[in-house]
Amino acid sequence: MATDLDQTIITDEQAADMRAKLAAYERQKAYEAAQARHQLYLAVKPIVESDAFISIHQQLAELRANGPKDDSFFGIGVEAIYQGMTGLGINVAQWIAPMPPSSAEPPAAEGGA
């Protein structure tokens, strides 16, 4: 009992075309995700660069260095807040706008079979 699926054959050209389309789709989706992160960074950048943010970060650094290690700030560990603020500051400072996908062609395969 043969089905239509048993007799479906995909040529190498069709497979290559599907891989190219999939690669272009994946690049576009990655670009869209990067654009969403970019909008978030643009929104928080003024906060991260504000004097208040920097002051709080410095106060937490002093508290980390000189205060009790098990202290909490609003029920959250000082270390967690400090590390989060540090990471956010670094990410925002190093962020660059994403570039749109430049080609619908898949990247060249490296190596050989």
Side-chain angles (χ1 to χ4, degrees):
M1 194 153 117
T3 65
D4 289 337
L5 292 177
D6 293 335
Q7 297 177 9
T8 302
I9 297 174
I10 297 175
T11 65
D12 289 342
E13 292 82 18
Q14 289 171 321
D17 183 52
M18 287 190 284
R19 282 191 298 273
K21 288 178 182 176
L22 178 61
Y25 172 80
E26 289 175 343
R27 282 192 302 276
Q28 182 62 35
K29 288 311 227 180
Y31 172 69
E32 290 170 6
Q35 279 292 93
R37 286 189 304 275
H38 180 63
Q39 294 304 312
L40 175 65
Y41 283 136
L42 289 177
V44 299
K45 186 174 181 168
I47 297 168
V48 171
E49 293 176 343
S50 72
D51 290 338
F53 186 93
I54 294 167
S55 174
I56 291 170
H57 188 263
Q58 289 172 343
Q59 290 173 13
L60 289 173
E62 291 172 11
L63 186 58
R64 275 177 77 230
N66 304 320
K69 299 302 178 204
D70 62 347
D71 197 12
S72 291
F73 187 69
F74 296 117
I76 302 171
V78 171
E79 184 67 20
I81 296 172
Y82 177 81
Q83 292 297 332
M85 291 177 78
T86 301
L88 181 61
I90 290 169
N91 286 336
V92 168
Q94 294 178 347
W95 183 254
I96 57 170
M99 298 298 292
S102 60
S103 169
E105 295 298 317
E110 295 180 11

